[in-house]
């Protein structure tokens, strides 16, 4: 059996997860995706993980197949879904992986219950300055407007192609479907992150064993040195030529990297 979908109950609705069969003796790995996409990004990766962990890739609430939050959420609220799922799985300790916005949520989840985290892997941590956060909160990712002519479909496509000019049509089409699933106001997690002072949040905390992954062709790769400076005790991995979607394009190689990161 390949990737299968399942749901976990939460106080506001349901969380959709993607997983693959793996031994019950293996540690649980929670994977959190970047916005405004979905856990479908990990479909190619998940089968490569089952030899060393039990992976559960979660749709952020309001994205993919997860129910939307009933009100405005902050980073801590999005992060808590990792623990809803861990508790449902009766997993006392877990490993956590996050990409981009998902990396911020993964980090906060680790800070919420550090003794329950076996290891933390952050792929592309957006470490913004206060000025960058204010600018993005004011200007980044406006809502699209539903239009009877379908103009919003062209708007979504143009945004995806503008952000990732070299993205292959298959991935771009999947991303467009994720935008549509998220609805016109697709940027709620972005705004939570722009309101969030990440350096202040981590100050004074001791993290579990942490690995930072960056790519030289990543759109937010310029922030990798910032993350390395902020988390001076973390192991750093820089992948030459890797862009935002290395997990999708090179899943076996990325899984090998995660296996190293999860090793004691």
């Amino acid at each position: 059996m390949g990737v299968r979908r399942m749901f976990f109950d939460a106080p506001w609705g349901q969380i959709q997860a993607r997983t693959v069969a793996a031994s019950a003796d293996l540690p649980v790995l929670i994977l959190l995706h970047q916005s405004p996409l979905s856990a479908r990004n990990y479909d190619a990766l998940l089968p490569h993980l089952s030899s060393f962990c039990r992976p559960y890739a979660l749709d952020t609430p309001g994205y993919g197949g997860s129910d939307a939050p009933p009100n405005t959420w902050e980073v801590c609220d999005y992060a808590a879904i990792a623990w809803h799922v861990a508790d449902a799985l009766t997993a006392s300790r877990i490993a956590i992986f996050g990409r981009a916005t998902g990396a911020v949520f993964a980090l906060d989840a680790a800070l919420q219950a550090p003794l329950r985290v076996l290891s933390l892997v952050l792929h592309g941590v957006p470490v913004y300055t206060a000025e960058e956060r204010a600018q993005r909160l004011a200007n980044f990712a406006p809502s699209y407007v539903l239009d009877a002519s379908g103009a919003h479909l062209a708007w979504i496509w143009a945004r995806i192609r503008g952000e990732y000019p070299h993205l292959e049509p298959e991935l771009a089409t999947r991303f467009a479907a994720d935008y549509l699933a998220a609805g016109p106001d697709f940027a709620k997690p972005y705004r939570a992150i722009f309101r969030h002072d990440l350096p202040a949040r981590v100050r004074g905390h001791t993290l579990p064993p942490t690995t930072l992954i960056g790519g030289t062709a990543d759109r937010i790769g310029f922030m990798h040195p910032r993350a390395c400076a902020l988390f001076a005790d973390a192991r750093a991995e820089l992948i030459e030529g890797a862009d935002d979607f290395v997990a999708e394009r090179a899943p076996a190689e990325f899984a090998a990297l995660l296996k190293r990161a999860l090793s004691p």
Side-chain angles (χ1 to χ4, degrees):
M1 180 181 292
V3 175
R4 62 186 181 89
R5 286 166 289 179
M6 60 189 300
F7 288 88
F8 295 93
D9 291 330
W12 71 91
Q14 291 188 307
I15 302 165
Q16 181 173 263
R18 292 169 183 260
T19 188
V20 290
S23 171
D25 297 331
L26 293 173
V28 167
L29 170 64
I30 299 294
L31 298 99
L32 305 177
H33 63 83
Q34 72 183 76
S35 302
L37 306 180
S38 72
R40 178 168 45 187
N41 282 60
Y42 300 126
D43 277 358
L45 177 66
L46 289 171
H48 295 280
L49 303 178
S50 62
S51 65
F52 60 90
C53 68
R54 287 187 286 152
Y56 294 86
L58 312 185
D59 284 335
T60 300
Y63 298 81
S66 290
D67 290 332
N71 46 39
T72 299
W73 271 16
E74 301 301 337
V75 163
C76 60
D77 302 304
Y78 286 107
I81 70 167
W83 299 117
H84 284 298
V85 172
D87 290 344
L89 294 169
T90 65
S92 59
R93 301 186 73 198
I94 61 173
I96 312 177
F97 168 86
R99 158 70 198 169
T101 48
V104 178
F105 302 153
L107 170 62
D108 206 79
L111 293 175
Q112 290 177 17
L115 297 181
R116 294 185 65 182
V117 181
L118 295 165
S119 55
L120 175 66
V121 186
L122 306 176
H123 179 203
V125 188
V127 182
Y128 293 108
T129 66
E131 293 75 17
E132 288 169 341
R133 290 193 293 111
Q135 181 184 45
R136 283 164 172 75
L137 192 58
N139 302 313
F140 190 78
S143 301
Y144 61 82
V145 178
L146 297 175
D147 188 278
S149 71
H152 59 292
L153 303 178
W155 185 94
I156 291 169
W157 190 259
R159 179 177 177 83
I160 293 168
R161 300 301 296 178
E163 289 189 320
Y164 308 107
H166 306 296
L167 194 66
E168 53 268 41
E170 180 184 8
L171 276 181
T173 300
R174 283 168 38 192
F175 295 175
D178 287 334
Y179 270 78
L180 289 169
D185 187 10
F186 61 88
K188 292 177 182 177
Y190 288 125
R191 292 197 293 275
I193 284 172
F194 301 150
R195 292 190 295 266
H196 182 69
D197 187 343
L198 189 150
R201 175 71 173 105
V202 302
R203 193 172 297 128
H205 290 273
T206 300
L207 288 177
T210 300
T211 300
L212 305 173
I213 302 174
T216 59
D218 195 318
R219 279 184 74 240
I220 58 173
F222 69 95
M223 293 190 180
H224 184 62
R226 299 182 187 180
C228 291
L230 184 62
F231 306 108
D233 294 332
R235 178 194 307 175
E237 298 265 6
L238 183 63
I239 308 173
E240 188 65 35
D243 65 4
D244 306 44
F245 309 113
V246 61
E248 291 91 321
R249 294 199 178 102
E253 294 82 355
F254 199 78
L257 190 159
L258 289 182
K259 185 177 182 179
R260 293 197 305 273
L262 270 53
S263 299

